[in-house]
Amino acid sequence: MLHEARFWESQGERIRCHLCPQNCSISPGRRGMCGVRENRDGKLYAMSYGRAASINIDPIEKKPLFHFYPGERVLSLGSVGCNLRCLHCQNYTISQASLAELTLREMRPEEVSDMAETSSCRGIAFTYNEPTIWHEFAYDAMKIAKERGLFTVYVTNGFIQEEPLRELSSVLDAMNIDIKGFSERFYDKICKAALEPVLEATKLAHELGIHIEITYLIIPGENDGEDEIRKFCRWMAELNPKVPVHFTRFHPDYEMQDRGPTPIATMEMARRVAEKEGLKFVFLGNVSLPHGEDTVCPNCGNLVIERQGFHILRNDAIDGKCKVCGEDLYLVQRRGLVEQAESKRAR
């Protein structure tokens, strides 16, 4: 279905897209870096609107979101394309594909909520490829989802402009933002993008009251230096030390198969540095380490949520707080038969 895009302006025959910080200048008949936004007859069109490449039912922990409705099921869907060119992308078969390469399912916005409800999911997540470039469809679908009482999630690289993020904030409950490294060198070399816009979007999402959690994939020889990780942790501590951080183990993929997985010692170093810098909830993903994915109260040491893989073995949180000492855990969960609704504020 042909759908006009948002966030653009005409510049003669060319169109300047203002959805993400790439700010593509698009010639007639061509598409931006994302591969899905086309200059056609002087207008910008979202060519992937309503076209899904992958749809699955996942535990919310798989996003990963550990402090947002733990244990709930979420309808996950993604399309095609991306506004980055990460050499290590694990979803490159769709993120680096063109619309013509894959068989895509045509969907109307209301069908997303229909599928979630039929599948007994309490929320929907836009994931797999970069949801920012699916903005128009995601916004329309999430608006309906919120009207039906479903929660909404983005799994994103955070490479988005301020205006579209502000628009999303009215219908978007949570984001897992992938901060891929903590240097402009890394972003330029590995992702063909820039770090600063991601940091600005992360701060803005937090200010807008969106629940955020951060993923940092540790790649040997690229973003695994102790100094770089310490700078990242200090930045997170200034933002909010209670925002969960997921350090994730790298596995060779796509165009980065020239090195092995992240050493366990490096993963443990990242956790030590994070805890020393004051971060309260630090998780280790893609690796099995004792208590690597458990939530422990930073005030009294109570084991609040025990996890094994994507499964919850124990959850003692009450209304997002530790049941022993009452510490606020920056955690959104059900409140009896009624959802806990956190106010739109920076916590």
Side-chain angles (χ1 to χ4, degrees):
M1 57 188 82
L2 196 60
H3 191 95
E4 186 173 340
R6 292 173 52 74
F7 307 108
W8 59 273
E9 63 174 326
S10 296
Q11 294 183 337
E13 290 188 344
R14 303 175 74 90
I15 285 175
R16 178 75 66 178
C17 180
H18 295 300
L19 179 60
C20 91
Q22 297 290 4
N23 286 314
C24 293
S25 178
I26 308 171
S27 301
R30 304 300 295 272
R31 296 177 183 176
M33 181 175 178
C34 63
V36 298
R37 303 175 77 78
E38 181 178 314
N39 178 349
R40 181 179 291 194
D41 300 325
K43 292 184 178 181
L44 189 66
Y45 287 91
M47 304 303 293
S48 61
Y49 187 95
R51 304 177 71 184
S54 184
I55 305 174
N56 293 290
I57 297 169
D58 293 322
I60 192 69
E61 285 75 17
K62 196 173 182 180
K63 299 303 98 188
L65 287 169
F66 281 9
H67 281 207
F68 184 78
Y69 291 109
E72 297 288 357
R73 286 153 50 99
V74 61
L75 180 74
S76 301
L77 65 162
S79 186
V80 173
C82 188
N83 53 0
L84 270 60
R85 291 291 181 269
C86 299
L87 300 179
H88 57 284
C89 182
Q90 296 181 343
N91 286 331
Y92 67 92
T93 55
I94 60 173
S95 71
Q96 304 305 316
S98 68
L99 289 167
E101 289 181 79
L102 302 176
T103 300
L104 304 174
R105 173 173 177 162
E106 300 282 347
M107 300 183 71
R108 300 185 306 277
E110 60 270 22
E111 288 183 77
V112 178
S113 291
D114 291 344
M115 291 181 66
E117 292 171 340
T118 300
S119 304
S120 298
C121 295
R122 298 194 66 248
I124 61 173
F126 289 87
T127 179
Y128 303 135
N129 77 312
E130 176 50 47
T132 291
I133 65 172
W134 216 13
H135 180 92
E136 292 78 11
F137 181 74
Y139 178 85
D140 290 348
M142 289 193 296
K143 185 176 181 181
I144 294 169
K146 295 307 299 174
E147 292 169 354
R148 297 195 191 180
L150 299 171
F151 65 72
T152 57
V153 169
Y154 256 33
V155 180
T156 175
N157 58 35
F159 206 58
I160 186 172
Q161 295 270 35
E162 178 177 344
E163 187 178 356
L165 180 54
R166 287 187 179 277
E167 180 177 79
L168 285 174
S169 68
S170 65
V171 295
L172 180 58
D173 295 314
M175 301 171 75
N176 181 289
I177 302 172
D178 193 359
I179 296 181
K180 298 173 181 292
F182 211 69
S183 72
E184 293 293 353
R185 178 205 63 81
F186 176 90
Y187 265 81
D188 180 61
K189 174 185 175 184
I190 305 297
C191 308
K192 308 307 180 211
L195 170 63
E196 189 59 30
V198 177
L199 301 183
E200 291 301 316
T202 301
K203 288 190 290 186
L204 179 59
H206 187 259
E207 291 169 3
L208 292 171
I210 300 170
H211 176 92
I212 63 170
E213 301 192 21
I214 307 301
T215 294
Y216 186 112
L217 178 70
I218 303 178
I219 304 175
E222 297 296 348
N223 63 356
D224 60 338
E226 187 169 337
D227 287 345
E228 184 170 348
I229 290 174
R230 181 175 291 106
K231 290 176 182 178
F232 162 71
C233 293
R234 286 179 178 173
W235 186 86
M236 287 300 308
E238 291 179 4
L239 177 69
N240 184 341
K242 288 186 176 180
V243 169
V245 170
H246 303 259
F247 286 114
T248 307
R249 192 184 192 198
F250 167 84
H251 293 286
D253 213 333
Y254 194 35
E255 296 183 7
M256 291 192 73
Q257 301 187 41
D258 58 342
R259 65 206 70 197
T262 314
I264 299 299
T266 303
M267 301 295 294
E268 293 173 333
M269 174 273 290
R271 178 163 60 180
R272 286 196 306 272
V273 169
E275 291 173 349
K276 185 175 181 181
E277 294 300 328
L279 301 190
K280 305 302 182 183
F281 303 109
V282 181
F283 304 107
L284 303 182
N286 282 352
V287 61
S288 180
L289 290 173
H291 308 295
E293 296 186 317
D294 294 342
T295 293
V296 176
C297 176
N299 183 54
C300 71
N302 175 48
L303 175 58
V304 181
I305 303 178
E306 183 179 4
R307 302 178 179 86
Q308 186 176 76
F310 299 128
H311 302 287
I312 301 293
L313 303 181
R314 168 183 177 179
N315 185 354
D316 287 345
I318 298 177
D319 296 338
K321 297 179 174 60
C322 175
K323 77 171 186 179
V324 174
C325 69
E327 176 77 1
D328 178 12
L329 303 173
Y330 187 87
L331 190 152
V332 180
Q333 63 180 143
R334 291 201 201 198
R335 178 181 291 162
L337 297 177
V338 181
E339 292 182 1
Q340 173 179 330
E342 294 291 334
S343 62
K344 286 285 185 180
R345 61 184 175 86
R347 284 172 288 180

